[in-house]
Amino acid sequence: QLQLQESGPGLVTPSETLSLTCTVSGASISNTNYFWVWLRQSPGEGLEWIGSVHYSGSTHYNPSLKSRLSISVDTSKNQFSLNLSSVTAADTAVYYCARQGKKPVAGVFYSGLDPWGQGTLVTVSS
Amino acid sequence: DIQMTQSPSSLSASVGDRVTITCRPSQAINTYLNWYQHKPGKAPHLLIFGASNLQSGVPSRFSGSGSGTDFTLTISSLHPEDFATYFCQQTYILPWTFGQGTRVEVK
């Protein structure tokens, strides 16, 4: 059964870099059919799509975070990672990782996120 | 970015009730709309993709409809395990965006 698990520091100092890793178990991350995604939910806010990575290294980033963001993949460890630099209190959130697949319906391919990790709370504070 | 307006933000219902949640994107997104269920402390769970297609393993009491700028998630008869938060997501164009969520609570 495919499972994703986020890991990383729960507390990050303002202006530093937030680094998280998502470990994929139960399947290989090196599957051409999937992208691997980071999302977050700040307190009282809706979900925000951060960005995604393919095992080939191809990435897509949210323009609102792009200047501070790096997402990478380590196929040898079956992991992908998030680095967000120059963090502020506004980056305090529960961070989730997820797998993005495509499902064909009558010749149309729809993307969906399944499964997700349980999420990890990251607080930015001094 | 496409703004997703979801309503209501919360509702109170009883087991057996029919529940309807609405999602309206700020621009037309064809049928590139997903619905998820989220319980506290657990991973969100894909229910519906492509506006009306049931994800494998999801009970048939869940259904989705709509296209363009008007979408609906319906639970035909609420079960005890359905008390959760539900949110919509557009996958029409990056960056993908989400509704604020609808919390379904016990009446």
Side-chain angles (χ1 to χ4, degrees):
Chain A
Q1 180 185 359
L2 177 65
Q3 290 186 313
L4 285 74
Q5 180 66 58
E6 306 88 352
S7 60
L11 181 64
V12 181
T13 303
S15 80
E16 298 294 308
T17 296
L18 182 161
S19 297
L20 295 174
T21 296
C22 182
T23 300
V24 179
S25 59
S28 173
I29 202 170
S30 301
N31 186 318
T32 192
N33 294 315
Y34 300 110
F35 271 77
W36 304 91
V37 179
W38 285 104
L39 310 102
R40 69 182 183 180
Q41 185 166 26
S42 302
E45 302 289 330
L47 276 157
E48 180 179 26
W49 176 83
I50 296 173
S52 61
V53 63
H54 189 258
Y55 86 95
S56 63
S58 174
T59 55
H60 299 286
Y61 293 159
N62 191 319
S64 69
L65 299 168
K66 188 173 182 177
S67 64
R68 302 191 288 130
L69 182 62
S70 175
I71 298 176
S72 59
V73 62
D74 186 335
T75 55
S76 67
K77 295 182 179 179
N78 226 38
Q79 296 175 334
F80 62 106
S81 298
L82 164 74
N83 283 284
L84 185 66
S85 64
S86 305
V87 296
T88 68
D91 295 308
T92 293
V94 176
Y95 285 76
Y96 297 92
C97 58
R99 184 184 70 173
Q100 171 196 327
K102 288 201 170 187
K103 303 175 185 296
V105 178
V108 178
F109 285 83
Y110 294 103
S111 294
L113 299 172
D114 179 65
W116 298 52
Q118 288 191 319
T120 187
L121 174 63
V122 178
T123 301
V124 178
S125 175
S126 55
Chain B
D1 298 1
I2 297 177
Q3 307 304 313
M4 306 296 287
T5 302
Q6 196 174 329
S7 61
S9 57
S10 65
L11 64 90
S12 298
S14 301
V15 172
D17 284 354
R18 181 183 182 88
V19 168
T20 299
I21 299 168
T22 298
C23 183
R24 292 191 170 93
S26 59
Q27 67 181 75
I29 60 168
N30 199 317
T31 53
Y32 292 92
L33 191 286
N34 299 331
W35 290 99
Y36 298 85
Q37 179 192 67
H38 190 196
K39 296 180 181 180
K42 299 209 170 180
H45 177 54
L46 178 65
L47 298 174
I48 302 280
F49 63 93
S52 61
N53 301 283
L54 203 63
Q55 171 73 342
S56 176
V58 173
S60 60
R61 62 181 180 272
F62 291 93
S63 64
S65 64
S67 67
T69 59
D70 197 355
F71 298 87
T72 300
L73 172 70
T74 299
I75 309 172
S76 61
S77 178
L78 202 63
H79 284 210
E81 61 267 32
D82 299 337
F83 292 100
T85 296
Y86 296 85
F87 57 90
C88 58
Q89 174 208 19
Q90 66 82 15
T91 59
Y92 181 70
I93 192 169
L94 291 177
W96 292 351
T97 47
F98 295 83
Q100 289 287 96
T102 296
R103 186 172 178 179
V104 178
E105 302 173 317
V106 177
K107 192 171 190 178

